[in-house]
Amino acid sequence: MDRLVNTVRPYAWGSTTAIPELLGVRPTGEPQAEMWMGAHPGAPSRVDRGTGPVALSEVIAADPEGELGADAVSLFGPQLPFLLKVLAAASPLSLQVHPDLEQAKEGYADEEERGVPADAPHRNYKDANHKPELICALTPFNGLCGFRDPNEAAELLAALEVDSLKPYVDILHAHPESHALREVLTAVLTADPEAMTETVRQAAAAAERLGALDGPHAPAYAAYASIAQHYPGDPGVIAAMLLNFVTLQPGEALYLGAGVPHAYLDGLGVEIMANSDNVLRCGLTPKHVDVPELLRVVRFESAAPAVLRPEADPSGEELYTTPIGEFRLSRHVLADGAAPRPLPATGPQILLCASGEVSLRGADGELPLTRGQSAFVPAGEEAVLGGDGTVFRATVTA
């Protein structure tokens, strides 16, 4: 088992204090948005097995079956199939959606065949993999996830009393669900930019007013007004109003499968995802928005956010159940004096201490972990977890 040295990514939307507080270090004053734990080529964690720091990706490449296990290599190839993050949002991330596996393979092959450079700003597919993800809140965490019922979305827009939104309200009331949502999202993203800027301005002012009132949608209106402050004139502000607003409490999680539009707004959480960079953006960003490809990927169906709560098994491990194999996220809430918990050695594991002080014991000795520290346990290596704290465990589905 190896202690991980991880990279913190300084994206502009990141909190300046949340990750430093987790790590127990002094803030630099710069945004610190994501701490990456894994072997993603963009920022692999580093380990030291006695010869100096080495990227975890290089360690795995040198012995894929030894580090990941034969089963994981057979299913997902010779690379760690997941990426674990601590995500600290102080302002809204882009509104986005991820392709399913078939769409990713088709899109990647098409762009490769057409010779679209890998670093081109208009490139949609960086790889041929899908990117399901799960976010688990460490603090109250706000986000947008999936389409509202069209009638509810219509009522929300109508209450803003903005004349230019009335055609969208009529469409949402008059058409079958999938056609209504597709038509309105298409209209919003292809509208005249100057006219949309004014629509967003009026809608934001109305949302700010309604967000200050005592009503069932007041938190959502307040969130939309805040989004507009960060992205004035962006059509994604109106697109966001078609989506469910959700607040996760600490310990609750949200699974985001293919085709589900979403955006994280603010809060600190642990995020796990398949090891992919494929993102189709719907707005709230200066980056490229490919409307035709986006419409191919989005699933135009309404659904309430499926908030997950961990389910404990007899060993005390609490699992966040998801329908895919590339990752499995669980947590251990340990109490001082409780019996140590053996960890299954069936696949590669990353363990993150989210609170307290814990230790991993294995054949090579003991590795202490304090808040914010993490470790990699290769497949087949037995380890026992003990101490007093909360630990998130990321692995593959057995």
Side-chain angles (χ1 to χ4, degrees):
M1 47 192 179
D2 306 275
R3 185 184 304 280
L4 295 179
V5 177
N6 305 306
T7 298
V8 176
R9 310 303 294 264
Y11 305 134
W13 48 262
S15 167
T16 59
T17 58
I19 288 179
E21 182 181 350
L22 179 74
L23 298 176
V25 299
R26 187 182 299 275
T28 65
E30 299 295 318
Q32 298 192 29
E34 296 180 347
M35 182 173 74
W36 288 21
M37 293 159 281
H40 191 285
S45 300
R46 298 170 299 286
V47 301
D48 189 341
R49 293 185 174 176
T51 59
V54 180
L56 182 58
S57 53
E58 294 181 21
V59 171
I60 291 171
D63 183 12
E65 289 199 2
E67 302 293 336
L68 306 176
D71 289 345
V73 172
S74 175
L75 288 170
F76 309 116
Q79 64 275 321
L80 189 68
F82 62 82
L83 174 64
L84 187 68
K85 297 180 180 181
V86 173
L87 184 148
S91 59
L93 283 66
S94 64
L95 189 59
Q96 58 187 251
V97 68
H98 306 304
D100 63 27
L101 189 55
E102 182 178 351
Q103 290 166 337
K105 289 178 178 178
E106 291 177 354
Y108 180 76
D110 173 66
E111 290 187 327
E112 286 289 284
E113 184 178 346
R114 290 190 287 115
V116 180
D119 58 353
H122 62 283
R123 174 131 188 179
N124 295 314
Y125 297 94
K126 304 300 176 66
D127 52 69
N129 199 14
H130 62 167
K131 192 184 177 185
E133 60 188 49
L134 177 80
I135 183 78
C136 178
L138 294 177
T139 67
F141 193 98
N142 293 317
L144 305 171
C145 175
F147 288 109
R148 293 178 179 272
D149 176 273
N151 288 315
E152 182 182 341
E155 292 172 8
L156 239 155
L157 292 179
L160 297 172
E161 298 182 337
V162 174
D163 287 343
S164 53
L165 292 178
K166 289 179 180 178
Y168 304 152
V169 172
D170 293 339
I171 294 169
L172 291 168
H173 278 313
H175 288 68
E177 175 175 291
S178 61
H179 296 292
L181 294 170
R182 174 184 288 273
E183 190 170 342
V184 171
L185 183 63
T186 303
V188 168
L189 296 180
T190 58
D192 174 74
E194 186 174 337
M196 180 53 67
T197 296
E198 178 59 19
T199 295
V200 171
R201 186 193 67 77
Q202 294 181 33
E208 184 174 10
R209 173 177 53 81
L210 293 171
L213 301 178
D214 184 16
H217 294 304
Y221 283 125
Y224 301 142
S226 176
I227 292 169
Q229 289 178 355
H230 290 95
Y231 297 98
D234 193 305
V237 175
I238 306 302
M241 296 181 181
L242 302 175
L243 307 184
N244 297 293
F245 173 76
V246 60
T247 298
L248 300 177
Q249 297 303 322
E252 293 181 335
L254 199 61
Y255 173 72
L256 296 157
V260 178
H262 61 277
Y264 301 145
L265 303 181
D266 59 82
L268 180 69
V270 174
E271 185 182 31
I272 190 168
M273 61 188 63
N275 209 3
S276 170
D277 283 330
N278 288 327
V279 174
L280 280 299
R281 293 178 176 84
C282 317
L284 309 183
T285 178
K287 295 182 179 179
H288 178 62
V289 176
D290 185 335
V291 176
E293 186 63 17
L294 174 69
L295 298 176
R296 188 178 80 91
V297 169
V298 171
R299 294 183 179 176
F300 290 97
E301 54 190 35
S302 64
V307 176
L308 302 177
R309 295 172 180 84
E311 301 174 3
D313 67 14
S315 74
E317 182 180 42
E318 300 176 339
L319 175 65
Y320 295 92
T321 302
T322 60
I324 50 94
E326 283 91 338
F327 62 75
R328 178 186 187 275
L329 186 70
S330 61
R331 69 175 186 177
H332 289 267
V333 181
L334 304 166
D336 193 24
R341 297 181 184 177
L343 300 176
T346 52
Q349 306 176 66
I350 291 180
L351 295 117
L352 166 68
C353 180
S355 67
E357 297 183 6
V358 303
S359 65
L360 284 170
R361 284 190 291 107
D364 295 332
E366 184 171 344
L367 180 64
L369 297 176
T370 58
R371 189 169 183 249
Q373 293 184 329
S374 56
F376 174 72
V377 181
E381 184 171 326
E382 295 185 355
V384 177
L385 181 63
D388 186 1
T390 298
V391 176
F392 284 87
R393 174 176 177 257
T395 186
V396 294
T397 299

